[in-house]
Amino acid sequence: MSSMSPSERRLQKELMSLIKEPPQGVTVDTESVHQNLSEWKINIKGSEGTLYEGEDFQLLFKFNNKYPFESPEVTFIGTNIPVHPHVYSNGHICLSILTEDWSPALSVQAVCLSIASMLSSCREKKRPPDNTLYVKTCNKNPKKTKWWYHDDSV
Amino acid sequence: MDSDNDNDFMDNVDSGNVSSGDDGDDDFAMEVDMPSTTERTQETDDYQYKVLTTDEIVQHQREIIDEVNRVLKLYTPKTRILLNHFKWDKEKLLEKYFDGSDDNTEEFFKSAHVINPFNKPTEAVQLKTTRSQCEECEICFSVLPPDAMTGLECGHRFCLNCWREYLTTKIVTECLGQTISCAAHGCDILVDDVTVTKLVQDLRVKVKYQQLITNSFVECNQLLRWCPSVDCTYAVKVPYAESRRVHCKCGHVFCFACGENWHDPVQCRWLKKWIKKCDDDSETSNWIAANTKECPRCSVTIEKDGGCNHMVCKNQNCKHDFCWVCLGSWEPHGSSWYNCNRYDEDEAKAARDAQEKLRSSLARYLHYYNRYMNHMQSMKFENKLYASVKQKMEEMQQHNMSWIEVQFLKKAVDILCQCRQTLMYTYVFAYYLKKNNQSMIFEDNQKDLESATEKLSEYLERDITSENLADIKQKVQDKYRYCEKRCTVLLNHVHEGYEKDWWDYTE
């Protein structure tokens, strides 16, 4: 344990608690994590009674060595990217806690819950209005995007 | 006032004579007794601004805090946050502070993201701060004794290491100074400067933090502005914010209100518009609109650079035959194509009118733009002139003139540059100006100053020999006095127009 950096130590602790007491519908792909502690794949199930019921999604978390003082890079990956007004078809998510409103007191679990609740409160499945242009022109890293948080209601 | 007008009028008449041919000797005779620029120096004298070094800025900041705190009697770092929230406007802060009930006080501190110091700490906070067992830091999940933990008055506690990391990231990566909030999610209480300096130990980070808070002090304080010159670290402090000529210690002269080079007689807002217009692509698209047409069928853009008016669209999918003049189909033009006015549909006519209008507005813009750029270019050359003038001054001293006797040359270049700069901005002013009687007087003034300035420039480029030396000195002196005077007349006329609402604008 002592050879770990503070960032690794914290990730290790977060991982343990996420495996031990996962929030509903959230599972960590432990295999991916054991290979590389700085990239986690997390599966999220669309909650019952929402537009995404029955769908499975996968999130990729990338942590740099400044974590948790810098936010993780979080994107949807895989074949099923949720159709949602704040999720671009390349998997980028427009969510303020992932950039400006990030706090080191937040955690992977808090981010997962935020994303799950963002999906659950959606009333119409559609892509963001600027999807085509954004996907064509954006940086690969969503943290490089200057997000404009238009609306917190969805 | 009337007599002033008369004077202006007289000046105009004089200058008319001069610019129509005399070589300057006559105006000297007329102008020799005139007091030069008194009016303008007076105008600038009552505007007492100061150029501050970084240390003086920090000192000034401390003085404001102390002054406010003599009234508020709060913890000094808190006063600093409050002042920053009110953009360092102490009157506004005090007014809000003493404005009414306890509810307002609560709101007052809340909006500045500060805990109300008059509230008793809530039980939860008290419990946390007095607790003696170990606590878990929510960031690194370490369990630590209370003295390794700290927090602001909001009660969110983290360990010293995490605080240090957190603040360092905010300062170094995000360049935040005065606006770093508590590390807890959703807590907007701001971290004060004393806490930051206590928690951060790395000297480089401390220095950066100091720079950031000093910068935000200058940037949000309406009475301060950094000198915009490259690498200059001075700031200018003024008694009231206004478009004024300020002269930094580094030598740069700029407008306090907008930070551009001093741009009298044009006002900041028009200059801003103008710079934007020159910078953006709008003129390219205006050129396209004025000089090209679109194929009436496929809308591809066509520039006609010669040839007859029978157009065949080169777009292989289109190949439309049409007439360049009326944009109608070519077919009915047949053998008598030149009479295509016959097929003058309203639409084609409207399109042509619109294009005609665009063309003339483009021509108008280019007229002003070219003259503006021309003076700007010349001003750059004039800076080279300083070097050659210095050499000339040395030559003249070898021709038995004393140091003091040759100073007129430097003065002449100073005035030349000043006139060029004024002229340059007169074109921006004129571009937005609607024609009326006063604008015509302005244009006369402009024309006169311009021709005098060119003459002065020409004299300064002549070779100096011992034979023509006395003559040249006389001519240069006469001319620069004249230019200086004309420049003042022009500016005063425009200023008077601002006061008396003479100027109508085109936009």
Side-chain angles (χ1 to χ4, degrees):
Chain A
M1 269 305 215
S2 60
S3 64
M4 278 187 166
S5 71
S7 154
E8 286 169 323
R9 199 156 53 231
R10 157 140 173 177
L11 281 172
Q12 199 66 51
K13 287 192 173 168
E14 278 201 58
L15 182 64
M16 305 230 279
S17 88
L18 206 55
I19 292 171
K20 226 190 279 171
E21 302 161 37
Q24 204 178 2
V26 175
T27 46
V28 192
D29 179 341
T30 41
E31 202 177 308
S32 76
V33 180
H34 286 316
Q35 278 172 14
N36 182 357
L37 190 62
S38 65
E39 288 200 11
W40 301 12
K41 284 181 187 157
I42 292 181
N43 301 309
I44 289 200
K45 267 191 167 0
S47 314
E48 278 174 40
T50 72
L51 296 177
Y52 303 94
E53 182 174 340
E55 289 186 72
D56 287 310
F57 306 111
Q58 193 166 47
L59 288 167
L60 176 67
F61 279 70
K62 286 189 189 171
F63 308 94
N64 67 17
N65 58 8
K66 293 263 184 71
Y67 181 81
F69 300 100
E70 285 186 13
S71 62
E73 186 188 317
V74 186
T75 47
F76 277 105
I77 53 165
T79 46
N80 192 20
I81 307 286
V83 179
H84 183 283
H86 293 175
V87 181
Y88 290 89
S89 54
N90 62 356
H92 287 194
I93 308 165
C94 175
L95 184 65
S96 67
I97 60 162
L98 294 179
T99 48
E100 300 176 0
D101 292 343
W102 170 257
S103 142
L106 286 167
S107 60
V108 175
Q109 175 163 339
V111 171
C112 288
L113 287 176
S114 242
I115 291 175
S117 106
M118 178 184 96
L119 292 178
S120 299
S121 58
C122 176
R123 267 160 291 155
E124 192 194 350
K125 277 187 168 187
K126 59 174 181 197
R127 289 274 175 233
D130 55 337
N131 187 58
T132 323
L133 182 67
Y134 175 76
V135 171
K136 232 188 279 174
T137 56
C138 70
N139 191 292
K140 250 169 79 187
N141 180 353
K143 286 174 72 179
K144 296 267 157 66
T145 300
K146 201 95 196 105
W147 295 103
W148 186 283
Y149 303 103
H150 355 240
D151 130 52
D152 303 326
S153 64
V154 202
Chain B
M1 275 305 162
D2 276 341
S3 63
D4 277 358
N5 269 342
D6 287 344
N7 268 339
D8 273 356
F9 182 65
M10 288 289 287
D11 288 333
N12 280 315
V13 173
D14 290 350
S15 60
N17 289 340
V18 172
S19 55
S20 62
D22 277 346
D23 217 41
D25 292 354
D26 286 349
D27 8 311
F28 178 63
M30 280 194 295
E31 246 100 30
V32 69
D33 294 330
M34 296 275 188
S36 66
T37 65
T38 35
E39 220 168 310
R40 266 201 306 167
T41 17
Q42 263 171 16
E43 202 178 277
T44 38
D45 272 350
D46 61 12
Y47 193 65
Q48 299 287 346
Y49 63 88
K50 253 184 97 177
V51 180
L52 304 181
T53 63
T54 318
D55 288 343
E56 285 167 330
I57 297 167
V58 173
Q59 180 58 32
H60 177 48
Q61 198 177 9
R62 223 169 279 144
E63 282 161 15
I64 299 182
I65 297 171
D66 290 346
E67 195 184 329
V68 170
N69 229 8
R70 274 198 289 280
V71 185
L72 292 190
K73 299 195 167 54
L74 297 173
Y75 177 51
T76 317
K78 237 174 213 190
T79 310
R80 171 192 280 275
I81 297 178
L82 292 173
L83 270 163
N84 199 65
H85 177 70
F86 285 99
K87 301 199 184 315
W88 295 89
D89 182 338
K90 46 187 190 237
E91 281 81 21
K92 198 171 158 205
L93 185 155
L94 292 172
E95 186 191 313
K96 283 270 181 228
Y97 184 74
F98 291 111
D99 170 28
S101 63
D102 288 348
D103 284 358
N104 277 344
T105 317
E106 192 62 45
E107 187 52 42
F108 174 82
F109 285 106
K110 199 174 162 208
S111 65
H113 308 300
V114 173
I115 297 276
N116 183 348
F118 303 109
N119 282 354
K120 296 227 167 69
T122 60
E123 270 181 39
V125 173
Q126 263 181 333
L127 193 77
K128 275 191 184 170
T129 44
T130 55
R131 160 155 83 176
S132 56
Q133 323 97 302
C134 290
E135 302 168 58
E136 184 184 63
C137 169
E138 268 184 73
I139 296 177
C140 62
F141 299 147
S142 312
V143 178
L144 295 161
D147 62 351
M149 302 282 286
T150 189
L152 306 170
E153 286 169 283
C154 51
H156 303 111
R157 289 164 64 79
F158 304 100
C159 77
L160 296 174
N161 281 334
C162 283
W163 266 115
R164 186 172 308 131
E165 269 311 307
Y166 172 72
L167 294 171
T168 305
T169 312
K170 289 284 168 187
I171 295 164
V172 177
T173 319
E174 295 177 37
C175 293
L176 291 183
Q178 204 75 79
T179 53
I180 303 175
S181 57
C182 168
H185 173 55
C187 179
D188 62 2
I189 295 304
L190 295 177
V191 190
D192 62 81
D193 62 313
V194 169
T195 306
V196 172
T197 5
K198 217 160 47 191
L199 287 169
V200 170
Q201 283 168 343
D202 187 335
L203 192 66
R204 278 170 306 173
V205 182
K206 278 189 190 188
V207 168
K208 168 111 193 212
Y209 178 72
Q210 187 56 51
Q211 283 169 349
L212 287 167
I213 61 174
T214 307
N215 187 45
S216 81
F217 170 68
V218 175
E219 300 230 305
C220 74
N221 189 323
Q222 291 203 328
L223 303 179
L224 288 172
R225 181 185 280 280
W226 289 117
C227 169
S229 176
V230 184
D231 289 336
C232 178
T233 56
Y234 293 118
V236 176
K237 174 176 165 284
V238 296
Y240 45 93
E242 205 175 72
S243 172
R244 289 288 196 148
R245 178 185 191 275
V246 288
H247 191 152
C248 180
K249 275 185 194 153
C250 73
H252 188 56
V253 176
F254 60 99
C255 167
F256 181 80
C258 69
E260 290 293 335
N261 287 346
W262 179 236
H263 51 71
D264 206 18
V266 73
Q267 291 175 321
C268 304
R269 60 180 171 138
W270 297 112
L271 180 64
K272 198 174 162 198
K273 250 182 149 71
W274 174 259
I275 290 173
K276 185 168 179 294
K277 192 178 175 64
C278 298
D279 282 352
D280 72 15
D281 244 5
S282 68
E283 291 314 319
T284 311
S285 48
N286 281 350
W287 184 89
I288 291 171
N291 296 290
T292 69
K293 293 186 183 185
E294 287 174 358
C295 165
R297 184 182 288 167
C298 73
S299 296
V300 75
T301 306
I302 301 162
E303 182 196 358
K304 187 174 184 304
D305 55 1
C308 82
N309 286 321
H310 179 187
M311 307 300 290
V312 180
C313 181
K314 276 242 173 115
N315 179 353
Q316 287 306 301
N317 300 320
C318 175
K319 293 188 177 167
H320 181 48
D321 283 86
F322 65 97
C323 166
W324 179 258
V325 180
C326 71
L327 292 177
S329 159
W330 185 256
E331 209 178 344
H333 288 65
S335 51
S336 60
W337 64 273
Y338 204 69
N339 292 328
C340 68
N341 271 349
R342 250 190 274 160
Y343 308 101
D344 206 353
E345 304 146 54
D346 290 346
E347 214 175 301
K349 187 174 185 303
R352 282 206 305 279
D353 287 351
Q355 194 165 35
E356 205 46 56
K357 232 171 130 185
L358 268 172
R359 233 176 244 177
S360 72
S361 93
L362 179 66
R364 181 170 183 276
Y365 166 73
L366 288 176
H367 170 92
Y368 291 103
Y369 180 77
N370 287 335
R371 282 156 183 79
Y372 167 82
M373 285 310 282
N374 190 27
H375 284 296
M376 193 191 271
Q377 279 304 327
S378 304
M379 248 166 69
K380 285 183 192 151
F381 293 134
E382 257 56 295
N383 285 327
K384 279 191 205 153
L385 198 60
Y386 275 111
S388 77
V389 154
K390 203 176 155 221
Q391 198 194 338
K392 244 177 231 177
M393 283 160 75
E394 277 157 17
E395 275 172 38
M396 290 167 87
Q397 287 178 64
Q398 283 160 14
H399 286 125
N400 283 337
M401 281 179 115
S402 68
W403 180 86
I404 195 92
E405 277 175 309
V406 300
Q407 289 310 306
F408 76 95
L409 262 181
K410 193 182 162 299
K411 169 95 174 157
V413 183
D414 286 342
I415 289 172
L416 180 63
C417 288
Q418 187 193 323
C419 290
R420 288 255 186 242
Q421 184 152 345
T422 306
L423 280 167
M424 177 175 139
Y425 292 114
T426 59
Y427 284 105
V428 184
F429 177 69
Y431 176 75
Y432 291 106
L433 201 59
K434 238 187 211 159
K435 199 169 179 145
N436 61 23
N437 287 341
Q438 292 298 342
S439 84
M440 281 156 74
I441 297 179
F442 163 77
E443 278 173 355
D444 286 344
N445 284 340
Q446 185 187 34
K447 187 178 106 196
D448 187 48
L449 177 60
E450 186 153 57
S451 65
T453 304
E454 295 304 342
K455 278 252 168 61
L456 177 61
S457 176
E458 195 192 307
Y459 287 155
L460 286 173
E461 280 172 21
R462 281 197 198 160
D463 280 334
I464 295 171
T465 58
S466 41
E467 294 84 60
N468 67 10
L469 199 145
D471 179 44
I472 280 201
K473 176 169 180 179
Q474 184 68 46
K475 279 185 171 160
V476 165
Q477 270 181 325
D478 293 350
K479 212 46 167 182
Y480 81 59
R481 287 192 187 117
Y482 182 73
C483 284
E484 193 176 26
K485 189 164 167 305
R486 294 309 309 165
C487 194
T488 312
V489 167
L490 181 144
L491 291 172
N492 286 345
H493 176 243
V494 176
H495 295 163
E496 193 181 354
Y498 285 136
E499 269 161 41
K500 298 186 177 164
D501 238 354
W502 289 339
W503 311 122
D504 301 321
Y505 298 104
T506 51
E507 281 179 30

